[in-house]
Structure formats: C-alpha cells, structure tokens
Amino acid sequence: MWYDEDSDDDEQKNIGPMNGKITEKNPNYEKKDKCKCTKGCSKRSCSCFKYGSGCNSSCGCGSSCQNMFNHLEYFFGENQKCTANPCFSKWLVKNVKNSDEFQMIDRNKLRRRIMKCPSYSNVLDDEDFEEWTEKWNTIDKNEKLSHTQELFRMLLSNDTTMYYYSFCENDVFEEDCNWHCIICQKCMDWREWHCDKCNKCTYGVSLPCERCGGKSEVSGFF
C-alpha cells in the first residue's frame, strides 16, 4: 500500500486541542465605548487607558479619572481629538507615570528620531508627507511646534494616515504590513495573528497556531 509520509507528518503537526477551529481574535478591535472604572483609570485595567484613549463623560470614573491619555494635546495639539496608536501608548506607559511627566519628553528629539529612522524616506512618496516636508522646509521657527504635532498626528495617532512609527523597531511601517498587538505588546508582521485560546501571537495566517492548532480567520483562503 502506498504511504504518503510527508502528508502524515503534516497532519501530526496540526494536531492540538483546537485543531481546525477558528481561534483568531484581534485584541486591538475590542475597545469599549466607555470604561466602567469607579476611580483611578491610571492602569491598563481601564479599558480606555488600555487602548491609548482618554475617558469621556459616559465613563464611570468621573472627576477621579487619572487617565494620562486625556491629555495628549502635548503631542497632538490643542483641540485635536486623537488617540495614541498602540505602539506609542506602550512607549508612553514605559517612559512616564502620568500626564505631568509628558513635559519631560523632548518633542524635537522625538521628531528627529522619527525622521532619522531607516524607512522614513520611503513615506515621502506619499502626498501627505511630501506636503508636510515641503512646508517644514519653509515655515518660520514659531510654526515648527504645530507642524511637529501634525507629524505626530500622522504617525503616532490612530486617526490620520496609513503609516505608523514603531517604537519597537525604530522604523516607519505601513499599517497593512505591520501592526502592534496590545496583548503581546510588540509590533508584528502582517502574517502574525493573535490566538485567543493561547492569548499569544503566532506566525502564518495560513498556518495553524503552533501551540493549540487553532486557525486564523483567513486561513481558508489559502
């Protein structure tokens, strides 16, 4: 009888408690409209804080709220309703304890760090960044801060362009090619997906989870 040894090996590799079941769940899309905190909001247990956004009037925290992401105007400018992207959120939590310490972050130094990263020159082909650069080279010194904040909105917030700056990798990525997992707390390749069963990311959208055998939502297309 003919025996396909390679095929049998492949099947053994796919065996696991969740073999064949869809276990993918992107934690970055689980944000609730409001938190249910009764005080504080200074830790990741607060659903707003966890996603790098400020609390609002419908949240349960009220006047006791200490969510530092209520005060991102230092980076994004006054009257700009922006939320920090997941990688920027992680970096802020690592470097400051509260919004008062935002002042310790040198915005010019942060801007230079972004502009000197390996792939920054690639984004200059984008119309928005080309326009930003042309203006940067001509504006007066007193306009530099607001223009720096515009760059931050473009690369550090969730709200503007198809690119983001990765503090994990010190580089600029397209959001279609890389993403930052708020559970694993690092930037991932687009081919990596988060297994809800294992609560960890695993490589290969067409491959089963290396730990439990679960599948990504798009695995059936390959």
Side-chain angles (χ1 to χ4, degrees), residues 39-56:
K39 61 180 180 179
C41 297
S42 60
K43 298 181 179 179
R44 287 195 177 275
S45 56
C46 169
S47 60
C48 295
F49 186 98
K50 179 180 178 181
Y51 288 91
S53 65
C55 294
N56 57 62

Side-chain angles (χ1 to χ4, degrees), residues 18-25 193 195 205-209 212-220:
M18 302 303 291
N19 186 29
K21 296 182 180 179
I22 302 296
T23 59
E24 180 180 12
K25 188 175 183 180
W193 55 278
C195 177
V205 291
S206 64
L207 301 175
C209 173
C212 73
K215 298 168 64 177
S216 74
E217 292 181 349
V218 299
S219 59

Side-chain angles (χ1 to χ4, degrees), residues 36-221:
K36 296 182 180 180
C37 305
T38 56
K39 61 180 180 179
C41 297
S42 60
K43 298 181 179 179
R44 287 195 177 275
S45 56
C46 169
S47 60
C48 295
F49 186 98
K50 179 180 178 181
Y51 288 91
S53 65
C55 294
N56 57 62
S57 58
S58 64
C59 292
C61 48
S63 59
S64 67
C65 182
Q66 300 174 38
N67 185 348
M68 67 180 181
F69 294 109
N70 292 333
H71 308 287
L72 291 173
E73 63 272 7
Y74 179 74
F75 300 101
F76 299 142
E78 297 289 342
N79 302 316
Q80 300 291 334
K81 295 181 179 180
C82 296
T83 58
N85 68 39
C87 195
F88 184 38
S89 299
K90 174 202 169 186
W91 185 81
L92 285 174
V93 171
K94 181 180 179 180
N95 285 277
V96 300
K97 295 179 180 178
N98 52 56
S99 60
D100 291 336
E101 294 188 1
F102 285 168
Q103 308 292 328
M104 297 168 56
I105 298 174
D106 187 324
R107 289 174 293 196
N108 282 325
K109 185 176 180 180
L110 178 57
R111 173 188 55 76
R112 290 194 295 269
R113 172 177 174 171
I114 293 172
M115 295 178 71
K116 289 180 179 179
C117 74
S119 298
Y120 181 77
S121 59
N122 295 340
V123 306
L124 299 182
D125 292 332
D126 181 273
E127 183 177 342
D128 291 334
F129 287 94
E130 182 181 14
E131 182 179 333
W132 184 92
T133 303
E134 289 177 355
K135 187 175 179 180
W136 177 260
N137 292 329
T138 59
I139 59 177
D140 295 331
K141 184 177 180 179
N142 60 0
E143 298 178 275
K144 295 285 187 180
L145 174 57
S146 62
H147 208 51
T148 294
Q149 290 172 326
E150 182 180 349
L151 181 67
F152 291 165
R153 292 196 297 272
M154 295 166 76
L155 290 174
L156 302 182
S157 82
N158 274 327
D159 304 321
T160 311
T161 68
M162 60 184 290
Y163 299 94
Y164 80 97
Y165 175 74
S166 167
F167 290 88
C168 298
E169 303 294 338
N170 185 35
D171 212 349
V172 173
F173 293 137
E174 289 188 47
E175 292 186 344
D176 289 342
C177 299
N178 296 81
W179 64 292
H180 183 95
C181 178
I182 66 167
I183 299 296
C184 299
Q185 284 299 311
K186 60 181 180 179
C187 288
M188 302 290 184
D189 183 273
W190 71 270
R191 288 162 289 194
E192 294 175 276
W193 55 278
H194 192 84
C195 177
D196 189 44
K197 178 67 177 178
C198 301
N199 206 29
K200 293 182 179 179
C201 285
T202 184
Y203 181 82
V205 291
S206 64
L207 301 175
C209 173
E210 58 192 22
R211 289 169 290 271
C212 73
K215 298 168 64 177
S216 74
E217 292 181 349
V218 299
S219 59
F221 293 100

